[in-house]
Amino acid sequence: MLDRTYVRENPDEVRDALDNRGADVDLDEILDLDERWRELKARGDELRHERNQITEQIGQLVAAGKQEEKDEAIEQSKELKAEIEDVEAEADELQEELRERMLEIPQVPHESVPLGVDERHNVEDRRWGFDDLRDVPEDVTPHYELGEEMDIIDEDRGAKTTGAGFYFLKGDGARLEHALIQFMMDIHREQGYVDLFPPVPVKSAAMRGTGQFPKFTDDAYRLGGSNDEEYEEEDLWLCPTAEVPVTNMYAGDILLQDDLPLKHQAYTPNFRREAGEHGTETRGIVRVHQFNKVELVNFVEPENSYDRLEELLDEAEEVLRRLELPYRILELCTGDLTFASAKTYDIEVWAPADDMDDGPDHGGRWLEVSSASNFEDFQARRAGLRYRPERHESAEYLHTLNASGLAIPRVMVAILEYYQNEDGTVTVPEALRPYMDGQEVIEGHEKVGEAALGAGERE
C-alpha cells in the first residue's frame, strides 16, 4: 500500500496516478476519513493532557485538605476518562476503515512509465531472434490441434475429470513440461537464485500482502468456502502465483543489509479463475485455470531496485535465448500496469500458428511468458517487509520485485509451433535435449481406447 503520509501530502500526484491508471477510487473520501481520524487523535491528546493536569491538581488538593474541591476534580477526571474512551473507540473504528480503504489505492507508476489507457499503448522496446529464424512449415498447425493429433495434450479428458480449462499432458508432452521446469531452475541457479518449494495453499493475509486481495478475490480458488462469502485472515486459497508465498515468507521480519539482494526462485502449480477469451484463447493451453510456472522473487534495498529490475528482466530473457525462441520486450503503459507494480516489462514469445491483429510481420501471435515488475515498497508496506541498513539504525521498508522465469505452458506452445517440422513432428530445442535423455524429435503416441479406432465409447 501507499504511505498514508505520502497520500495526505501529495493528493494531486496520487489523483494523477489514479487517472493515468484508469482506477476508480474515491480519493477525496479517503482523505476525509484521514482528516477525521487525525482530528479525533488530536482531540484525544487534548483530553489526556487535560486529565493529566487534573490528576496533578487532585494530589495538590489532597495535600491542602480541600475535600470538596478534590471530589469535584475526581468527578471531572472520571468524565474525561469516559470521553477519552469514546473518542479513542471512534478513532479506532476510523483507523480500521481507513486501513481498508487505503488498500484500494493502487501503486503510483514510476515517472518513466509511458502514459496510456490499455495494452494498445504499451511500448515495444526491442525484439530478439528474428534475424535468424529457423524454417517453419508454410502452414503451421496450432498447438491445440498438433497436441491432440500427437496425443500429448488431452483437453477433453482434463475437462471430464476436472472441468474446462484443465488438461492432461501425456508421454512426451509431460516429459517436455518436466524438462522445461528443471531447465529453467538450473539457469536461475547459475544466476544466484536460492530454490524454494513453497506451500500451495496461502492465507488471505498473504494474498493481501502481495496485492491480490481485496481487489481480485473473484480470480482466486478458495478452499472450503464460496468466493461470494466474506473471508477471514486465516482462510486458505490455492496459490495463483509463487509470488504470494515467497514474498510473504518474510512478512513481519526484519532482514539485514548483508542479506540483500535476496533472490529466490520457486516452482509451483498455479490456479486462477481466468475466463477464456474469444477465438483461439478458448482452445489449447494458453489461458487455463491450472498452469506450472517458475517464479523469481527479489528483495532489495530501495536505491538498487531499478537497476535490479533491468537485471531481473535479463535473467528471465536468458531462458528464451537458450531455447532460441524469438521474442519481444514491451514496456507496459500506466493503464496496463498491475495493481501493485510501479514499472513492468512484459516478455512475449512468438508463436507462429495463429495470426493476431497486432502480431509480427511473420504472422502468428505474441504470448506473454513473463512480467518483470518493480513494486518498490508497495508490497513491503502491506506485508511488513523491512530491513535494517545498519545494526544501530531504524528498520526501513525494502523493495520487492518479481518475474516469471517463465510461464511454462506458453513456452511449450511456442516450442510446439516454432520447432514444428513439415512431417508433423517437433524438434526438441538443443538446450532441452539433456533433460530428455538426448531425445531430438517428438513424434507423438498412438491413442488408446475404442474411441481412437473410431468405434465410439465403450458400452
Side-chain angles (χ1 to χ4, degrees):
M1 64 169 62
L2 299 180
D3 179 21
R4 193 190 303 177
T5 302
Y6 166 79
V7 175
R8 182 188 306 140
E9 295 178 353
N10 301 275
D12 291 338
E13 188 173 326
V14 176
R15 282 193 188 90
D16 287 344
L18 293 173
D19 289 342
N20 291 335
R21 279 180 166 273
D24 184 16
V25 177
D26 192 337
L27 184 62
D28 289 334
E29 190 173 284
I30 294 173
L31 292 171
D32 287 343
L33 281 173
D34 181 58
E35 184 175 357
R36 286 165 52 201
W37 174 80
R38 286 186 291 126
E39 289 172 352
L40 286 170
K41 294 296 288 183
R43 177 59 179 157
D45 291 341
E46 291 172 1
L47 292 171
R48 274 189 296 273
H49 177 68
E50 185 177 347
R51 187 165 183 258
N52 289 338
Q53 287 182 322
I54 291 174
T55 300
E56 291 179 10
Q57 292 175 9
I58 291 172
Q60 295 169 1
L61 292 170
V62 170
K66 297 180 179 181
Q67 184 65 32
E68 186 176 344
E69 293 180 31
K70 182 204 75 171
D71 291 344
E72 290 177 359
I74 290 175
E75 187 62 31
Q76 188 178 2
S77 177
K78 289 179 180 178
E79 292 174 357
L80 285 171
K81 180 182 178 183
E83 188 175 356
I84 289 170
E85 289 174 350
D86 289 342
V87 168
E88 289 184 339
E90 186 178 354
D92 288 344
E93 289 180 6
L94 276 180
Q95 170 84 331
E96 181 61 25
E97 183 179 357
L98 186 55
R99 188 184 74 87
E100 291 299 318
R101 294 300 303 275
M102 286 292 297
L103 292 174
E104 299 174 7
I105 304 177
Q107 171 69 289
V108 173
H110 188 263
E111 60 184 9
S112 65
V113 174
L115 296 177
V117 175
D118 53 33
E119 66 274 3
R120 295 170 300 169
H121 303 113
N122 294 337
V123 176
E124 184 172 316
D125 183 69
R126 53 192 160 83
R127 297 186 183 188
W128 185 93
F130 285 91
D131 292 336
D132 188 25
L133 294 174
R134 74 184 299 270
D135 292 331
V136 297
E138 183 175 350
D139 294 315
V140 178
T141 302
H143 77 281
Y144 43 86
E145 294 180 4
L146 183 69
E148 183 179 355
E149 292 170 3
M150 300 177 80
D151 199 33
I152 60 174
I153 301 174
D154 196 330
E155 295 180 71
D156 290 341
R157 288 187 172 94
K160 178 168 63 177
T161 61
T162 311
F166 297 89
Y167 60 96
F168 281 96
L169 292 176
K170 301 167 63 177
D172 285 342
R175 292 188 71 205
L176 181 59
E177 181 104 349
H178 285 296
L180 282 167
I181 293 169
Q182 196 57 59
F183 169 70
M184 291 176 187
M185 297 193 77
D186 282 352
I187 289 176
H188 301 315
R189 286 189 201 102
E190 294 174 12
Q191 297 165 341
Y193 282 85
V194 176
D195 289 33
L196 293 176
F197 215 144
V200 171
V202 290
K203 294 180 180 179
S204 305
M207 296 281 269
R208 187 187 66 242
T210 44
Q212 274 76 17
F213 285 5
K215 188 174 177 62
F216 302 108
T217 54
D218 290 344
D219 290 336
Y221 279 94
R222 185 175 185 176
L223 298 178
S226 167
N227 285 37
D228 296 331
E229 300 170 358
E230 289 192 13
Y231 56 87
E232 303 294 334
E233 294 285 87
E234 300 294 314
D235 288 350
L236 293 177
W237 307 74
L238 290 179
C239 172
T241 165
E243 168 194 349
V244 177
V246 176
T247 302
N248 282 278
M249 71 181 294
Y250 298 111
D253 291 352
I254 297 178
L255 301 176
L256 301 177
Q257 186 180 41
D258 292 344
D259 296 327
L260 307 179
L262 184 58
K263 299 165 59 176
H264 282 311
Q265 69 163 332
Y267 152 72
T268 57
N270 306 277
F271 301 86
R272 300 180 188 176
R273 293 182 182 274
E274 291 185 293
E277 295 181 0
H278 63 278
T280 58
E281 295 289 20
T282 59
R283 298 187 64 188
I285 61 175
V286 169
R287 188 176 295 275
V288 289
H289 297 312
Q290 177 184 339
F291 61 97
N292 292 319
K293 180 161 64 84
V294 174
E295 191 74 5
L296 309 176
V297 179
N298 290 199
F299 305 85
V300 305
E301 293 181 81
E303 59 267 27
N304 299 328
S305 66
Y306 279 95
D307 287 340
R308 180 90 277 277
L309 177 61
E310 301 299 324
E311 296 165 356
L312 175 62
L313 176 64
D314 184 71
E315 290 166 350
E317 287 181 67
E318 181 63 16
V319 173
L320 295 182
R321 289 195 292 260
R322 293 199 194 183
L323 291 172
E324 299 181 77
L325 288 171
Y327 65 90
R328 71 171 178 175
I329 303 298
L330 292 181
E331 186 174 352
L332 299 197
C333 71
T334 53
D336 202 30
L337 288 175
T338 60
F339 182 81
S341 175
K343 181 166 183 162
T344 296
Y345 294 106
D346 270 5
I347 305 175
E348 295 186 339
V349 71
W350 179 49
D354 289 307
D355 291 340
M356 65 186 298
D357 292 340
D358 60 344
D361 297 337
H362 305 81
R365 60 175 170 166
W366 301 111
L367 297 178
E368 176 200 328
V369 292
S370 180
S371 290
S373 300
N374 185 355
F375 304 106
E376 297 184 353
D377 65 0
F378 191 85
Q379 292 180 330
R381 288 182 180 279
R382 295 168 77 103
L385 302 166
R386 296 183 295 165
Y387 81 107
R388 200 178 300 281
E390 298 290 344
R391 296 293 180 114
H392 62 280
E393 294 181 353
S394 299
E396 300 176 5
Y397 289 110
L398 47 73
H399 281 194
T400 59
L401 306 90
N402 70 43
S404 297
L406 304 164
I408 293 164
R410 294 181 180 185
V411 175
M412 181 180 290
V413 169
I415 289 173
L416 293 177
E417 295 183 2
Y418 180 65
Y419 278 95
Q420 196 174 129
N421 301 311
E422 291 285 356
D423 61 0
T425 62
V426 174
T427 297
V428 177
E430 189 171 348
L432 282 182
R433 294 173 190 174
Y435 297 86
M436 296 185 67
D437 295 328
Q439 183 174 344
E440 297 183 5
V441 177
I442 294 173
E443 297 179 343
H445 316 283
E446 293 292 331
K447 297 183 179 182
V448 300
E450 290 183 343
L453 302 176
E457 297 182 1
R458 291 186 175 92
E459 297 181 0

PDB file of all heavy atoms in Angstrom, residues 260 299-308 374 376-377 387 389 396-401:
ATOM      1  N   LEU A 260      20.786  -8.660   1.603  1.00  0.00           N
ATOM      2  CA  LEU A 260      20.254  -8.154   0.341  1.00  0.00           C
ATOM      3  C   LEU A 260      21.348  -7.965  -0.704  1.00  0.00           C
ATOM      4  O   LEU A 260      22.478  -7.622  -0.357  1.00  0.00           O
ATOM      5  CB  LEU A 260      19.525  -6.832   0.590  1.00  0.00           C
ATOM      6  CG  LEU A 260      18.450  -6.859   1.681  1.00  0.00           C
ATOM      7  CD1 LEU A 260      17.815  -5.487   1.844  1.00  0.00           C
ATOM      8  CD2 LEU A 260      17.381  -7.907   1.388  1.00  0.00           C
ATOM      9  N   PHE A 299      14.295  -9.366  -3.141  1.00  0.00           N
ATOM     10  CA  PHE A 299      14.169  -8.407  -2.047  1.00  0.00           C
ATOM     11  C   PHE A 299      15.435  -7.557  -2.056  1.00  0.00           C
ATOM     12  O   PHE A 299      16.551  -8.097  -1.925  1.00  0.00           O
ATOM     13  CB  PHE A 299      14.039  -9.121  -0.703  1.00  0.00           C
ATOM     14  CG  PHE A 299      12.924 -10.127  -0.640  1.00  0.00           C
ATOM     15  CD1 PHE A 299      13.115 -11.429  -1.090  1.00  0.00           C
ATOM     16  CD2 PHE A 299      11.683  -9.784  -0.122  1.00  0.00           C
ATOM     17  CE1 PHE A 299      12.093 -12.369  -1.040  1.00  0.00           C
ATOM     18  CE2 PHE A 299      10.653 -10.713  -0.060  1.00  0.00           C
ATOM     19  CZ  PHE A 299      10.854 -12.009  -0.518  1.00  0.00           C
ATOM     20  N   VAL A 300      15.293  -6.237  -2.219  1.00  0.00           N
ATOM     21  CA  VAL A 300      16.471  -5.395  -2.437  1.00  0.00           C
ATOM     22  C   VAL A 300      16.356  -4.088  -1.659  1.00  0.00           C
ATOM     23  O   VAL A 300      15.287  -3.693  -1.203  1.00  0.00           O
ATOM     24  CB  VAL A 300      16.666  -5.079  -3.942  1.00  0.00           C
ATOM     25  CG1 VAL A 300      16.732  -6.344  -4.771  1.00  0.00           C
ATOM     26  CG2 VAL A 300      15.549  -4.178  -4.450  1.00  0.00           C
ATOM     27  N   GLU A 301      17.502  -3.406  -1.541  1.00  0.00           N
ATOM     28  CA  GLU A 301      17.495  -2.064  -0.980  1.00  0.00           C
ATOM     29  C   GLU A 301      16.844  -1.104  -1.971  1.00  0.00           C
ATOM     30  O   GLU A 301      17.004  -1.248  -3.191  1.00  0.00           O
ATOM     31  CB  GLU A 301      18.918  -1.616  -0.678  1.00  0.00           C
ATOM     32  CG  GLU A 301      19.598  -2.407   0.437  1.00  0.00           C
ATOM     33  CD  GLU A 301      21.000  -1.905   0.705  1.00  0.00           C
ATOM     34  OE1 GLU A 301      21.140  -0.893   1.420  1.00  0.00           O
ATOM     35  OE2 GLU A 301      21.951  -2.520   0.188  1.00  0.00           O
ATOM     36  N   PRO A 302      16.107  -0.106  -1.473  1.00  0.00           N
ATOM     37  CA  PRO A 302      15.360   0.788  -2.368  1.00  0.00           C
ATOM     38  C   PRO A 302      16.209   1.449  -3.448  1.00  0.00           C
ATOM     39  O   PRO A 302      15.767   1.553  -4.603  1.00  0.00           O
ATOM     40  CB  PRO A 302      14.785   1.831  -1.401  1.00  0.00           C
ATOM     41  CG  PRO A 302      14.624   1.086  -0.118  1.00  0.00           C
ATOM     42  CD  PRO A 302      15.798   0.157  -0.055  1.00  0.00           C
ATOM     43  N   GLU A 303      17.417   1.884  -3.112  1.00  0.00           N
ATOM     44  CA  GLU A 303      18.225   2.617  -4.095  1.00  0.00           C
ATOM     45  C   GLU A 303      18.721   1.731  -5.231  1.00  0.00           C
ATOM     46  O   GLU A 303      19.197   2.227  -6.256  1.00  0.00           O
ATOM     47  CB  GLU A 303      19.424   3.291  -3.411  1.00  0.00           C
ATOM     48  CG  GLU A 303      20.368   2.354  -2.693  1.00  0.00           C
ATOM     49  CD  GLU A 303      20.027   2.180  -1.221  1.00  0.00           C
ATOM     50  OE1 GLU A 303      18.825   2.335  -0.875  1.00  0.00           O
ATOM     51  OE2 GLU A 303      20.947   1.892  -0.434  1.00  0.00           O
ATOM     52  N   ASN A 304      18.586   0.411  -5.071  1.00  0.00           N
ATOM     53  CA  ASN A 304      19.093  -0.504  -6.100  1.00  0.00           C
ATOM     54  C   ASN A 304      17.985  -1.154  -6.924  1.00  0.00           C
ATOM     55  O   ASN A 304      18.268  -1.936  -7.834  1.00  0.00           O
ATOM     56  CB  ASN A 304      19.915  -1.620  -5.442  1.00  0.00           C
ATOM     57  CG  ASN A 304      21.121  -1.097  -4.700  1.00  0.00           C
ATOM     58  OD1 ASN A 304      21.704  -0.079  -5.090  1.00  0.00           O
ATOM     59  ND2 ASN A 304      21.516  -1.771  -3.629  1.00  0.00           N
ATOM     60  N   SER A 305      16.720  -0.826  -6.637  1.00  0.00           N
ATOM     61  CA  SER A 305      15.640  -1.640  -7.204  1.00  0.00           C
ATOM     62  C   SER A 305      15.483  -1.469  -8.709  1.00  0.00           C
ATOM     63  O   SER A 305      15.121  -2.430  -9.400  1.00  0.00           O
ATOM     64  CB  SER A 305      14.321  -1.356  -6.485  1.00  0.00           C
ATOM     65  OG  SER A 305      13.866  -0.045  -6.710  1.00  0.00           O
ATOM     66  N   TYR A 306      15.747  -0.288  -9.248  1.00  0.00           N
ATOM     67  CA  TYR A 306      15.543  -0.125 -10.696  1.00  0.00           C
ATOM     68  C   TYR A 306      16.698  -0.712 -11.505  1.00  0.00           C
ATOM     69  O   TYR A 306      16.485  -1.217 -12.619  1.00  0.00           O
ATOM     70  CB  TYR A 306      15.245   1.330 -11.041  1.00  0.00           C
ATOM     71  CG  TYR A 306      13.784   1.620 -10.779  1.00  0.00           C
ATOM     72  CD1 TYR A 306      13.364   2.179  -9.580  1.00  0.00           C
ATOM     73  CD2 TYR A 306      12.813   1.233 -11.689  1.00  0.00           C
ATOM     74  CE1 TYR A 306      12.012   2.372  -9.312  1.00  0.00           C
ATOM     75  CE2 TYR A 306      11.464   1.419 -11.439  1.00  0.00           C
ATOM     76  CZ  TYR A 306      11.069   1.988 -10.251  1.00  0.00           C
ATOM     77  OH  TYR A 306       9.730   2.151  -9.988  1.00  0.00           O
ATOM     78  N   ASP A 307      17.903  -0.698 -10.976  1.00  0.00           N
ATOM     79  CA  ASP A 307      18.996  -1.438 -11.615  1.00  0.00           C
ATOM     80  C   ASP A 307      18.698  -2.931 -11.571  1.00  0.00           C
ATOM     81  O   ASP A 307      18.929  -3.655 -12.538  1.00  0.00           O
ATOM     82  CB  ASP A 307      20.320  -1.148 -10.909  1.00  0.00           C
ATOM     83  CG  ASP A 307      20.848   0.243 -11.204  1.00  0.00           C
ATOM     84  OD1 ASP A 307      20.417   0.836 -12.213  1.00  0.00           O
ATOM     85  OD2 ASP A 307      21.689   0.741 -10.429  1.00  0.00           O
ATOM     86  N   ARG A 308      18.164  -3.385 -10.436  1.00  0.00           N
ATOM     87  CA  ARG A 308      17.837  -4.802 -10.284  1.00  0.00           C
ATOM     88  C   ARG A 308      16.724  -5.218 -11.238  1.00  0.00           C
ATOM     89  O   ARG A 308      16.715  -6.346 -11.754  1.00  0.00           O
ATOM     90  CB  ARG A 308      17.421  -5.086  -8.831  1.00  0.00           C
ATOM     91  CG  ARG A 308      17.064  -6.560  -8.563  1.00  0.00           C
ATOM     92  CD  ARG A 308      18.267  -7.387  -8.129  1.00  0.00           C
ATOM     93  NE  ARG A 308      19.073  -7.875  -9.223  1.00  0.00           N
ATOM     94  CZ  ARG A 308      18.815  -8.972  -9.934  1.00  0.00           C
ATOM     95  NH1 ARG A 308      17.755  -9.695  -9.681  1.00  0.00           N
ATOM     96  NH2 ARG A 308      19.621  -9.376 -10.878  1.00  0.00           N
ATOM     97  N   ASN A 374       8.749  -4.058 -10.769  1.00  0.00           N
ATOM     98  CA  ASN A 374       9.260  -3.456  -9.547  1.00  0.00           C
ATOM     99  C   ASN A 374       8.062  -2.909  -8.773  1.00  0.00           C
ATOM    100  O   ASN A 374       7.343  -2.046  -9.266  1.00  0.00           O
ATOM    101  CB  ASN A 374      10.252  -2.329  -9.861  1.00  0.00           C
ATOM    102  CG  ASN A 374      10.907  -1.765  -8.614  1.00  0.00           C
ATOM    103  OD1 ASN A 374      10.574  -2.130  -7.493  1.00  0.00           O
ATOM    104  ND2 ASN A 374      11.870  -0.872  -8.812  1.00  0.00           N
ATOM    105  N   GLU A 376       8.468  -1.508  -5.788  1.00  0.00           N
ATOM    106  CA  GLU A 376       9.020  -0.560  -4.813  1.00  0.00           C
ATOM    107  C   GLU A 376       8.642  -1.048  -3.413  1.00  0.00           C
ATOM    108  O   GLU A 376       8.806  -2.225  -3.111  1.00  0.00           O
ATOM    109  CB  GLU A 376       8.561   0.855  -5.140  1.00  0.00           C
ATOM    110  CG  GLU A 376       9.067   1.343  -6.494  1.00  0.00           C
ATOM    111  CD  GLU A 376       8.697   2.779  -6.802  1.00  0.00           C
ATOM    112  OE1 GLU A 376       7.930   3.397  -6.030  1.00  0.00           O
ATOM    113  OE2 GLU A 376       9.166   3.298  -7.827  1.00  0.00           O
ATOM    114  N   ASP A 377       8.118  -0.165  -2.524  1.00  0.00           N
ATOM    115  CA  ASP A 377       7.790  -0.610  -1.166  1.00  0.00           C
ATOM    116  C   ASP A 377       6.303  -0.893  -0.991  1.00  0.00           C
ATOM    117  O   ASP A 377       5.808  -1.018   0.132  1.00  0.00           O
ATOM    118  CB  ASP A 377       8.261   0.416  -0.132  1.00  0.00           C
ATOM    119  CG  ASP A 377       7.537   1.758  -0.250  1.00  0.00           C
ATOM    120  OD1 ASP A 377       6.663   1.912  -1.129  1.00  0.00           O
ATOM    121  OD2 ASP A 377       7.863   2.670   0.533  1.00  0.00           O
ATOM    122  N   TYR A 387      14.008  -4.041   6.370  1.00  0.00           N
ATOM    123  CA  TYR A 387      15.419  -4.392   6.564  1.00  0.00           C
ATOM    124  C   TYR A 387      16.059  -3.293   7.394  1.00  0.00           C
ATOM    125  O   TYR A 387      15.556  -2.172   7.478  1.00  0.00           O
ATOM    126  CB  TYR A 387      16.142  -4.552   5.219  1.00  0.00           C
ATOM    127  CG  TYR A 387      16.569  -3.254   4.583  1.00  0.00           C
ATOM    128  CD1 TYR A 387      17.915  -2.872   4.566  1.00  0.00           C
ATOM    129  CD2 TYR A 387      15.632  -2.387   4.007  1.00  0.00           C
ATOM    130  CE1 TYR A 387      18.311  -1.664   3.992  1.00  0.00           C
ATOM    131  CE2 TYR A 387      16.024  -1.188   3.428  1.00  0.00           C
ATOM    132  CZ  TYR A 387      17.363  -0.839   3.427  1.00  0.00           C
ATOM    133  OH  TYR A 387      17.756   0.349   2.870  1.00  0.00           O
ATOM    134  N   PRO A 389      19.319  -1.048   7.618  1.00  0.00           N
ATOM    135  CA  PRO A 389      20.529  -0.657   6.882  1.00  0.00           C
ATOM    136  C   PRO A 389      21.809  -0.854   7.692  1.00  0.00           C
ATOM    137  O   PRO A 389      22.810  -1.337   7.166  1.00  0.00           O
ATOM    138  CB  PRO A 389      20.286   0.824   6.572  1.00  0.00           C
ATOM    139  CG  PRO A 389      18.800   0.980   6.592  1.00  0.00           C
ATOM    140  CD  PRO A 389      18.315   0.029   7.637  1.00  0.00           C
ATOM    141  N   GLU A 396      13.746  -0.111   7.838  1.00  0.00           N
ATOM    142  CA  GLU A 396      13.069   0.572   6.745  1.00  0.00           C
ATOM    143  C   GLU A 396      12.400  -0.465   5.847  1.00  0.00           C
ATOM    144  O   GLU A 396      12.790  -1.640   5.825  1.00  0.00           O
ATOM    145  CB  GLU A 396      14.068   1.395   5.914  1.00  0.00           C
ATOM    146  CG  GLU A 396      14.805   2.457   6.695  1.00  0.00           C
ATOM    147  CD  GLU A 396      15.853   3.168   5.842  1.00  0.00           C
ATOM    148  OE1 GLU A 396      15.915   2.876   4.620  1.00  0.00           O
ATOM    149  OE2 GLU A 396      16.603   3.994   6.394  1.00  0.00           O
ATOM    150  N   TYR A 397      11.401  -0.015   5.100  1.00  0.00           N
ATOM    151  CA  TYR A 397      10.772  -0.904   4.137  1.00  0.00           C
ATOM    152  C   TYR A 397      11.716  -1.154   2.971  1.00  0.00           C
ATOM    153  O   TYR A 397      12.341  -0.222   2.442  1.00  0.00           O
ATOM    154  CB  TYR A 397       9.459  -0.311   3.625  1.00  0.00           C
ATOM    155  CG  TYR A 397       8.366  -0.312   4.660  1.00  0.00           C
ATOM    156  CD1 TYR A 397       7.914   0.872   5.240  1.00  0.00           C
ATOM    157  CD2 TYR A 397       7.773  -1.504   5.067  1.00  0.00           C
ATOM    158  CE1 TYR A 397       6.905   0.861   6.192  1.00  0.00           C
ATOM    159  CE2 TYR A 397       6.774  -1.527   6.025  1.00  0.00           C
ATOM    160  CZ  TYR A 397       6.347  -0.339   6.584  1.00  0.00           C
ATOM    161  OH  TYR A 397       5.367  -0.353   7.533  1.00  0.00           O
ATOM    162  N   LEU A 398      11.834  -2.423   2.570  1.00  0.00           N
ATOM    163  CA  LEU A 398      12.661  -2.767   1.409  1.00  0.00           C
ATOM    164  C   LEU A 398      11.802  -2.712   0.148  1.00  0.00           C
ATOM    165  O   LEU A 398      10.613  -2.412   0.203  1.00  0.00           O
ATOM    166  CB  LEU A 398      13.305  -4.137   1.606  1.00  0.00           C
ATOM    167  CG  LEU A 398      12.446  -5.316   2.087  1.00  0.00           C
ATOM    168  CD1 LEU A 398      11.521  -5.812   0.995  1.00  0.00           C
ATOM    169  CD2 LEU A 398      13.318  -6.450   2.567  1.00  0.00           C
ATOM    170  N   HIS A 399      12.406  -2.985  -1.003  1.00  0.00           N
ATOM    171  CA  HIS A 399      11.681  -3.057  -2.265  1.00  0.00           C
ATOM    172  C   HIS A 399      11.606  -4.513  -2.721  1.00  0.00           C
ATOM    173  O   HIS A 399      12.550  -5.290  -2.515  1.00  0.00           O
ATOM    174  CB  HIS A 399      12.363  -2.218  -3.343  1.00  0.00           C
ATOM    175  CG  HIS A 399      12.080  -0.752  -3.221  1.00  0.00           C
ATOM    176  ND1 HIS A 399      12.347   0.151  -4.242  1.00  0.00           N
ATOM    177  CD2 HIS A 399      11.534  -0.024  -2.214  1.00  0.00           C
ATOM    178  CE1 HIS A 399      11.997   1.369  -3.847  1.00  0.00           C
ATOM    179  NE2 HIS A 399      11.506   1.285  -2.629  1.00  0.00           N
ATOM    180  N   THR A 400      10.477  -4.877  -3.331  1.00  0.00           N
ATOM    181  CA  THR A 400      10.304  -6.221  -3.865  1.00  0.00           C
ATOM    182  C   THR A 400      10.128  -6.156  -5.375  1.00  0.00           C
ATOM    183  O   THR A 400       9.562  -5.205  -5.916  1.00  0.00           O
ATOM    184  CB  THR A 400       9.083  -6.928  -3.252  1.00  0.00           C
ATOM    185  OG1 THR A 400       7.898  -6.168  -3.524  1.00  0.00           O
ATOM    186  CG2 THR A 400       9.247  -7.085  -1.755  1.00  0.00           C
ATOM    187  N   LEU A 401      10.628  -7.184  -6.049  1.00  0.00           N
ATOM    188  CA  LEU A 401      10.480  -7.337  -7.492  1.00  0.00           C
ATOM    189  C   LEU A 401      10.182  -8.803  -7.784  1.00  0.00           C
ATOM    190  O   LEU A 401      10.568  -9.691  -7.006  1.00  0.00           O
ATOM    191  CB  LEU A 401      11.746  -6.930  -8.254  1.00  0.00           C
ATOM    192  CG  LEU A 401      12.337  -5.544  -8.014  1.00  0.00           C
ATOM    193  CD1 LEU A 401      13.358  -5.567  -6.887  1.00  0.00           C
ATOM    194  CD2 LEU A 401      12.995  -5.025  -9.302  1.00  0.00           C
TER     195      LEU A 401
END
